[in-house]
Amino acid sequence: EVLRHIRGMGLHYAEFYSKHLALNASPAKISETLKLLAKAKIKLNAHGVSGFTKNHAANRKVFEFAKRAGIKNITANPTLDSFDSLDKLVAEFGIRIAIHNHGPGSRYDSIKSVQKAVKGHHKYIGACVDTGHFIRSKEDPVKAVRDLGKRVFALHIKDEAKREKRSHNVVIGKGHLDVVGLFKACKKIKFPADGSMSLEYEATPANPIDDMKACVVVAKEALAKAL
């Protein structure tokens, strides 16, 4: 059903999370899922959000999963003591870690907190800019892309009704997100062609499809203006 809706919106890339494809999925399950994706002409280009700690063996299992699934980008919420392990793993596997900002009061709730986390680390340790969470944290997501620059490997694109902790998603461009500005910033930093841009919508979980389709229309119009 998920693939049918993605394909129906004319999209060909997706980020999955554990309920779509579990980190402990068997090789057979991964292979089955990839075959379904290929049949629908959809590429799995990211997975997350995954937690990482200083437990190197546990971290390695996530990277091994990503390698088997052909995933280049892992969106992540790593603890501050995990980076020695992650530096080694991104170098070994050639897979990126994209730190996901989780909104007000979280470990990564500001542009500066993400900048501080990635500073001095391997070039494959960067950011997943969640535009909605930055808006709720009273941060400018367009500025986040510009400031984090070449460290931006992924986006979770959503808009918010309010610049407050308690808010809800709206169709992108209808709240506080400058959609054209966002894509212009991505162009300026030369966002990687194999990075991940994910439209996300959580306001109407019983039936998000109509609003998601509206988001796709806005995104396409903004891309045309930005590029």
Side-chain angles (χ1 to χ4, degrees):
E1 186 179 2
V2 169
L3 298 183
R4 178 170 61 83
H5 285 306
I6 294 172
R7 190 175 182 183
M9 286 185 276
L11 303 177
H12 298 282
Y13 298 89
E15 175 177 352
F16 277 9
Y17 81 122
S18 58
K19 287 190 177 181
H20 296 134
L21 183 59
L23 292 171
N24 63 356
S26 67
K29 181 64 176 177
I30 293 172
S31 177
E32 176 190 351
T33 301
L34 293 178
K35 286 178 182 177
L36 286 171
L37 284 159
K39 187 176 180 180
K41 298 182 180 179
I42 296 168
K43 180 174 176 55
L44 186 61
N45 67 347
H47 192 281
V49 174
S50 291
F52 291 94
T53 68
K54 64 180 180 180
N55 186 330
H56 189 68
N59 295 343
R60 171 176 285 278
K61 289 180 180 179
V62 180
F63 278 80
E64 289 172 345
F65 159 83
K67 182 179 180 180
R68 285 194 297 270
I71 294 164
K72 179 70 175 180
N73 308 283
I74 303 171
T75 55
N77 184 29
T79 57
L80 298 179
D81 60 2
S82 68
F83 287 94
D84 285 346
S85 169
L86 294 177
D87 277 329
K88 296 181 179 73
L89 290 167
V90 295
E92 177 183 347
F93 285 86
I95 293 171
R96 304 184 184 105
I97 286 290
I99 297 174
H100 177 265
N101 55 293
H102 269 87
S106 65
R107 183 183 296 121
Y108 306 106
D109 65 352
S110 65
I111 298 169
K112 286 184 178 179
S113 64
V114 181
Q115 286 178 311
K116 184 177 179 181
V118 303
K119 186 176 180 181
H121 289 291
H122 193 281
K123 66 180 181 179
Y124 275 4
I125 293 180
C128 170
V129 173
D130 187 301
T131 60
H133 288 326
F134 268 137
I135 288 168
R136 292 194 306 109
S137 296
K138 297 182 173 62
E139 293 266 23
D140 180 356
V142 176
K143 184 176 186 296
V145 172
R146 291 198 303 260
D147 288 358
L148 289 161
K150 63 183 180 180
R151 296 279 187 169
V152 179
F153 306 142
L155 295 174
H156 286 177
I157 302 174
K158 56 181 183 277
D159 203 350
E160 293 291 332
K162 300 177 182 179
R163 298 184 72 229
E164 300 174 8
K165 185 172 184 176
R166 292 189 177 276
S167 180
H168 61 84
N169 294 161
V170 294
V171 172
I172 57 173
K174 301 296 184 182
H176 295 273
L177 179 62
D178 176 2
V179 187
V180 175
L182 181 71
F183 290 132
K184 283 184 176 179
C186 288
K187 181 180 180 182
K188 184 175 181 180
I189 67 165
K190 297 180 180 179
F191 185 87
D194 58 354
S196 173
M197 289 188 178
S198 301
L199 278 170
E200 190 174 0
Y201 196 84
E202 299 172 327
T204 53
N207 179 25
I209 304 304
D210 289 345
D211 285 342
M212 283 294 290
K213 286 179 178 178
C215 287
V216 172
V217 170
V218 173
K220 288 181 176 180
E221 291 174 349
L223 277 167
K225 293 176 182 178
L227 303 181

